[in-house]
Amino acid sequence: MPTHPTLADDATDPGGTTDGPPGTAPPPRSGGRPRRDREPVRPGLLAKIALMAVVNALGVFGVLAAWREGHVGILVSMLVLVLAADWVYFSRRTLPLKYVLPGLAFLLVYQVYVVGYTGWVAFTNYGDGHNSTQADAVSALLMQNERRVEGSATYPLTVVERGGELGFAIVEDGEARVGTAEQPMAVEDGATVDDGRVTQVPGATVLERQEVLARQSEVTDLRVALSDDPNDGSVRTQDARTGFVSVPSLTWDPDAETMTDVTTGTVYHATSDGWFESDDGQRLAVGWRVMVGLDNFRTAFGDERYAGPFVKILLWTFAFAILSVVTTFLLGLFLAITFNDTRLRGRRIYRTLLIFPYAIPGFLAALLWSGLLNRSYGFVNQVLLGGAAIPWLTDPWLAKASVLGVNLWLGFPYMFLICTGALQSLPGDVLEAAKVDGAGALRTWRSVTLPLLLVSTAPLLISSFAFNFNNFTLIYMLTNGGPRFADASVPLGHTDILISMVYSVSGLDGTAAKNYGLASALSIVVFVIVATISAITFKKTKQFEEIN
Amino acid sequence: MRRGIPAAAVTLGLTLALTACSGSGNDTSGDPTSQATGDGAGGSLVVWVDETRQGAVESAAAAFESENGVDVELVLKNFEDIRADFLAQVPTGEGPDLTVGAHDWLGELTTNGVVAPIELGDKTGDFEEVAVQAFTQDGQVYGLPYAIENIALIRNTALAPEAPATWDDAVAAGQAAGTPYPILVQTGTEGDPYTYYPLQTSFGAPVFVQNDDGSYTSELALGGEPGHAFATWLQGQSQAGVLSTDITYDIAVEAFKNGESPFIVGGPWMLEQFADLELSIDPIPSAGGMPAQPFVGVQGFYVSAQSDNALLANDFLVNYIATDEAQLALYEAGSRPPALVSAAETASADPITAGFAAVGAEAVPMPSIPEMGSVWAFWGVTQANIIAGTTEPVAGWDKMVADIQGAIGS
């Protein structure tokens, strides 16, 4: 833990006022010696040291834990964050950073890193078949293609150590045989066989179970040739109790980056798109992750099966997002104005009741509504409409209406809250002035109240638009995108929005091979759309502020 | 972080020492005597289980722990999350050593190289053939099976004393019983092709062409005449009011529980709800004249391809989970017939289990090839639309086959 030589000099209030009295230059230092006699230690400083001790303890704990788990990335970032925190809070020259650092740290970890990672994945082929590195793919392929010799026996097996080398001792036809990686199995007359198992081998130690477990990867990697002829295969074990004979059918040449099928002689080369491919186009099953540049973006716009549905879904996404914002805002505003009227009794109770839909988690509410709107058994049809069979969620237009209706129910309390807040903070003198000028209620509302209201609520409306544009939860839980397009050849439906389309196209819903690269690329496209619209709208809303 | 370090013990030196001991497996400089303490240095096995299986695996793990002096750490997960999490976490080296799973994940797990083969050795013959078959790909076995599940016809004996021979008999018996529903088949607005599969196979329209050894090719077999016959039959049944998209799983189970139908097509997972009914488990009646073969799902344990404890993991599976005790404990937990023949015989003392097992013996394994994902996407919705009357059966079925073909080809 780095400490500061002039800790006692550094007297910062807990409230974080400036270093030293305002308006005076910091006292000149005399030879760098701390002037403890003049400046008593303040309680704020003690509090700061205690807090920083906790931060450092947490940081060190994180670093150690990351060390134990072997996470270099987490370890380095924890170290950097802790050192940065220490420097910022114990240095005299970093006053602005003292305020900014916590937010900055969380921004980096939770936003910048995540967005950066998504951006990186968009340029890779991460997905089914490309799940990991080439090394992992090679080891998986070797593992999958090492086959037990047909009809070969299994042997009771013991792990031994001879001359510092691990070996296996097996029992075949009552005879003990011992071998190591270098020496094939050979009959060992001096060995003791007890209960069908080798228990002692001269010149070698039989490993105890615990010793075997301590070296288990060595034991599972060990292959002992059955004889001098490699075609006989070699003995291996998976549980250090029984051995069986297997032959590999693939071999890996790390220098040439090729896999060779020893039975057919086919050579598979590593390709730039992360597969092992033979000259005649045969592929091995497991690939690995590589950078593919803009391929994912090309794929996203290159499949003509998606062309028709994409346009419909894009239009519906805009309609859904805009209508959701407009309807929730209007209803919320209407209720806010109603309950702002001082003549109304029991306003508090009403206001509390109105928060209910907002307090129920969206996941749950959407699911509940999908049950309520069931055509034959739903509460809405059965009880409210006396047994009508209205296809609320299975007719294209009604499903769209239902989605908007449920979103209105979920969203109006939020708008009600912000409008209530905005209305109560309107300056009374302006309204007074309007009245003096002879404006009626409607005119006052149109020219004074609404513009002033929009100044404070416009940014929230934009964020609501962005949220609804990506409101995956509601769609997924309520209709799951249904009803399906009857004329499309892809599993998409009338209430799918862009983000639920991305979920389906990239196979995350299990209807196709998973493709995280494509999903990330499409998310970036969605981000560009939302960001552009938000930026334009923010610019437009600046004109409201000129009223003030 | 999988293991918390007791705060009191956190000192740099100790941690460094531990790290040196529990190194990444290639590190053999550790002194063996310091590793026999069973504090995870000699290996600790991380197993992902879901809530149902937790207790059963725990008891098997207890015996294993005491005999080998190692820790078995069970991590409780939602069954639905295991597949994706396993795929994502194994490559990072942070995944489990073992996980419970279903056999139809196999295609995806091997394509991504996250699962290691298991050598059952002489034990292969101790398991039901269909169970080992389901976990076999290219002649390699990738999982240790512990339970077999399939649907059957669950009959309320108070309402229908006789098992129906054909679908029409079942409908007639249901109507004679005077209950609101002649027979319950869960459908929903997106369809339920898994539950409808035995009815489809009874028309001779399996989903993929099967090889001789029971594995599937990616060649579709659900089109053509048999498929058209099934689609037309679906339309007829819905017009007759027997099948409806309004019947979801919850509604079907609730209705059967309340005695509103003598028959329901369903699996052992429903039985908990029907505890106070007199039940009989019968084969699903054929609608198209051929045997009605449902899908068999086999559940088992997978070993991670990146496990540092492969030896422990295999030992635990082959010598502790493949025992009557463990398999019966898992059976008690999930009420699905065990995959180990001897355990299955014990479990078959219960007529209900025996009934499901008898249907399962005639069934076909659910395809585990990756192409299956593309089939589900269109299959259920098409069936639901035919039943709802929004799609013309033959044309709709043909379009579905073409769409699936397009999705597989892309």
Side-chain angles (χ1 to χ4, degrees):
Chain A
M1 245 171 75
T3 49
H4 204 282
T6 54
L7 253 186
D9 262 5
D10 186 27
T12 311
D13 290 342
T17 53
T18 52
D19 297 11
T24 59
R29 302 199 172 196
S30 49
R33 272 181 43 216
R35 309 182 331 177
R36 282 193 186 124
D37 49 339
R38 289 279 232 30
E39 282 193 42
V41 177
R42 297 187 202 170
L45 175 68
L46 292 176
K48 181 168 99 169
I49 291 176
L51 274 175
M52 286 312 293
V54 172
V55 168
N56 276 294
L58 278 174
V60 170
F61 173 74
V63 166
L64 290 180
W67 176 289
R68 269 194 75 195
E69 297 288 339
H71 272 295
V72 178
I74 295 181
L75 191 145
V76 171
S77 42
M78 286 297 286
L79 206 63
V80 169
L81 279 177
V82 172
L83 291 178
D86 283 330
W87 172 67
V88 165
Y89 289 101
F90 288 115
S91 157
R92 300 181 133 218
R93 279 167 307 184
T94 54
L95 184 68
L97 268 175
K98 285 183 174 144
Y99 294 95
V100 178
L101 186 79
L104 203 61
F106 285 112
L107 182 79
L108 283 172
V109 173
Y110 286 108
Q111 298 273 353
V112 176
Y113 169 72
V114 175
V115 171
Y117 186 77
T118 308
W120 176 73
V121 169
F123 294 95
T124 68
N125 61 359
Y126 180 29
D128 264 351
H130 303 280
N131 200 41
S132 190
T133 59
Q134 189 183 21
D136 283 351
V138 168
S139 72
L141 281 168
L142 294 177
M143 215 185 297
Q144 289 176 11
N145 288 285
E146 184 168 32
R147 294 173 194 282
R148 195 174 154 189
V149 177
E150 291 274 338
S152 64
T154 53
Y155 307 103
L157 174 141
T158 322
V159 183
V160 297
E161 191 175 18
R162 188 158 62 181
E165 279 199 347
L166 277 187
F168 291 145
I170 59 172
V171 180
E172 191 176 15
D173 307 328
E175 287 188 314
R177 291 164 164 259
V178 182
T180 61
E182 260 75 65
Q183 299 162 312
M185 287 290 179
V187 177
E188 186 74 51
D189 290 330
T192 318
V193 180
D194 197 13
D195 200 17
R197 234 170 234 292
V198 176
T199 51
Q200 274 189 326
V201 181
T205 44
V206 171
L207 291 190
E208 293 296 316
R209 187 82 187 148
Q210 285 299 338
E211 293 170 315
V212 171
L213 292 182
R215 305 170 64 168
Q216 49 181 312
S217 30
E218 278 182 280
V219 175
T220 46
D221 289 345
L222 181 62
R223 303 282 181 274
V224 178
L226 196 60
S227 67
D228 292 332
D229 178 9
N231 293 332
D232 283 353
S234 47
V235 177
R236 54 186 289 224
T237 184
Q238 283 192 324
D239 57 3
R241 297 176 201 269
T242 47
F244 51 90
V245 186
S246 63
V247 277
S249 62
L250 274 184
T251 54
W252 163 239
D253 180 351
D255 299 327
E257 291 204 0
T258 56
M259 284 277 196
T260 310
D261 187 329
V262 287
T263 46
T264 61
T266 318
V267 178
Y268 298 89
H269 302 275
T271 62
S272 60
D273 54 358
W275 293 108
F276 283 114
E277 226 167 63
S278 67
D279 294 331
D280 58 356
Q282 291 287 327
R283 263 186 200 165
L284 294 177
V286 188
W288 60 95
R289 228 187 287 191
V290 291
M291 298 299 277
V292 292
L294 293 168
D295 277 6
N296 287 322
F297 293 91
R298 279 190 211 106
T299 315
F301 297 106
D303 192 336
E304 74 278 358
R305 289 184 307 149
Y306 285 100
F310 177 76
V311 175
K312 286 185 196 165
I313 285 172
L314 188 68
L315 290 175
W316 160 239
T317 308
F318 276 108
F320 166 72
I322 293 167
L323 285 172
S324 289
V325 173
V326 170
T327 53
T328 52
F329 181 67
L330 288 180
L331 183 62
L333 182 60
F334 171 74
L335 290 168
I337 295 166
T338 312
F339 291 115
N340 217 21
D341 198 316
T342 41
R343 288 168 298 180
L344 195 74
R345 288 186 181 192
R347 284 186 303 159
R348 282 203 179 151
I349 296 163
Y350 290 129
R351 276 182 183 164
T352 315
L353 285 176
L354 280 181
I355 307 303
F356 263 102
Y358 192 39
I360 296 175
F363 278 85
L364 199 68
L367 268 179
L368 282 175
W369 276 101
S370 80
L372 292 173
L373 294 169
N374 180 305
R375 193 172 62 118
S376 305
Y377 300 96
F379 182 84
V380 174
N381 279 345
Q382 286 291 66
V383 180
L384 299 183
L385 303 173
I390 300 170
W392 289 112
L393 299 174
T394 45
D395 171 84
W397 288 103
L398 273 177
K400 286 188 163 91
S402 300
V403 167
L404 285 170
V406 172
N407 210 18
L408 172 63
W409 183 85
L410 279 169
F412 84 84
Y414 170 73
M415 295 294 181
F416 166 74
L417 284 175
I418 60 172
C419 290
T420 301
L423 283 174
Q424 289 179 345
S425 61
L426 286 185
D429 51 356
V430 186
L431 297 170
E432 202 73 28
K435 213 176 238 171
V436 171
D437 287 346
L442 204 68
R443 173 76 196 194
T444 311
W445 162 245
R446 207 163 50 87
S447 311
V448 180
T449 317
L450 192 65
L452 284 175
L453 200 69
L454 280 175
V455 169
S456 54
T457 56
L460 296 168
L461 296 184
I462 293 166
S463 73
S464 172
F465 168 82
F467 171 80
N468 278 311
F469 200 90
N470 290 326
N471 197 341
F472 176 80
T473 314
L474 176 76
I475 304 293
Y476 181 74
M477 292 286 173
L478 188 64
T479 61
N480 200 5
R484 286 274 179 91
F485 291 124
D487 51 354
S489 295
V490 282
L492 296 169
H494 289 275
T495 54
D496 265 318
I497 54 175
L498 274 181
I499 195 69
S500 65
M501 174 179 146
V502 168
Y503 189 70
S504 166
V505 170
S506 53
L508 304 186
D509 61 353
T511 58
K514 283 193 186 63
N515 190 338
Y516 294 108
L518 182 61
S520 303
L522 287 166
S523 317
I524 290 175
V525 173
V526 173
F527 162 76
V528 168
I529 295 173
V530 175
T532 312
I533 292 167
S534 303
I536 295 169
T537 329
F538 268 120
K539 262 208 147 68
K540 286 259 187 251
T541 53
K542 282 247 166 73
Q543 68 196 35
F544 287 128
E545 292 175 26
E546 289 162 13
I547 295 163
N548 287 359
Chain B
M1 271 175 20
R2 285 181 301 177
R3 292 185 291 268
I5 317 169
V10 176
T11 63
L12 188 56
L14 176 70
T15 315
L16 292 185
L18 274 176
T19 316
C21 290
S22 67
S24 59
N26 306 324
D27 167 33
T28 56
S29 58
D31 170 18
T33 51
S34 72
Q35 305 196 337
T37 50
D39 62 350
S44 139
L45 201 57
V46 180
V47 186
W48 282 1
V49 287
D50 63 329
E51 208 172 351
T52 324
R53 259 65 65 162
Q54 191 185 15
V57 177
E58 232 160 31
S59 55
F64 181 72
E65 279 176 317
S66 58
E67 281 180 49
N68 289 291
V70 291
D71 294 334
V72 178
E73 193 187 336
L74 297 190
V75 179
L76 189 64
K77 294 188 81 81
N78 276 330
F79 196 77
E80 293 76 34
D81 299 342
I82 290 181
R83 184 179 186 168
D85 287 0
F86 191 73
L87 282 166
Q89 290 190 29
V90 168
T92 66
E94 293 301 300
D97 298 308
L98 289 171
T99 179
V100 295
H103 86 271
D104 53 306
W105 307 352
L106 184 58
E108 194 179 8
L109 297 185
T110 52
T111 307
N112 290 311
V114 295
V115 57
I118 295 181
E119 187 49 61
L120 294 174
D122 301 342
K123 292 210 171 188
T124 311
D126 300 352
F127 290 95
E128 299 278 1
E129 198 183 348
V130 70
V132 178
Q133 218 178 55
F135 275 108
T136 303
Q137 196 183 51
D138 254 356
Q140 293 271 54
V141 181
Y142 286 93
L144 186 118
Y146 70 82
I148 297 173
E149 63 181 25
N150 53 270
I151 51 174
L153 185 73
I154 304 175
R155 173 166 56 97
N156 184 339
T157 51
L159 296 168
E162 303 248 324
T166 65
W167 177 264
D168 294 335
D169 293 352
V171 174
Q175 282 160 344
T179 50
Y181 306 99
I183 182 166
L184 289 162
V185 188
Q186 66 194 61
T187 312
T189 53
E190 303 217 338
D192 195 327
Y194 174 83
T195 306
Y196 275 84
Y197 194 63
L199 303 171
Q200 186 177 322
T201 49
S202 77
F203 285 88
V207 60
F208 286 116
V209 175
Q210 257 180 307
N211 293 325
D212 298 338
D213 64 349
S215 61
Y216 287 90
T217 64
S218 54
E219 189 187 338
L220 291 172
L222 43 65
E225 277 306 313
H228 294 168
F230 172 63
T232 316
W233 174 85
L234 280 180
Q235 186 189 37
Q237 289 298 310
S238 94
Q239 285 166 351
V242 180
L243 301 174
S244 158
T245 53
D246 296 327
I247 308 284
T248 61
Y249 172 83
D250 296 323
I251 290 164
V253 169
E254 189 65 23
F256 187 80
K257 192 167 84 180
N258 299 335
E260 289 171 20
S261 176
F263 308 108
I264 183 171
V265 177
W269 48 87
M270 293 180 177
L271 295 173
E272 252 180 287
Q273 313 259 2
F274 307 150
D276 44 7
L277 298 175
E278 284 293 316
L279 299 178
S280 165
I281 309 298
D282 306 312
I284 295 162
S286 165
M290 295 193 195
Q293 297 177 295
F295 278 136
V296 167
V298 183
Q299 294 185 317
F301 289 87
Y302 289 107
V303 179
S304 157
Q306 303 273 335
S307 168
D308 291 334
N309 301 306
L311 199 133
L312 271 180
N314 280 290
D315 190 20
F316 180 59
L317 290 189
V318 177
N319 302 313
Y320 290 82
I321 294 288
T323 57
D324 279 10
E325 267 180 359
Q327 297 253 330
L328 285 170
L330 286 161
Y331 158 69
E332 298 293 332
S335 68
R336 292 156 171 83
L340 198 66
V341 174
S342 51
E345 280 165 5
T346 313
S348 289
D350 174 29
I352 300 278
T353 305
F356 277 113
V359 177
E362 301 300 311
V364 288
M366 179 148 53
S368 62
I369 51 176
E371 287 87 353
M372 195 64 201
S374 310
V375 178
W376 295 119
F378 300 96
W379 200 12
V381 171
T382 305
Q383 291 180 1
N385 287 347
I386 292 171
I387 292 167
T390 56
T391 299
E392 201 277 313
V394 173
W397 198 259
D398 282 341
K399 180 175 181 296
M400 173 194 85
V401 176
D403 288 352
I404 295 173
Q405 200 62 62
I408 290 175
S410 71

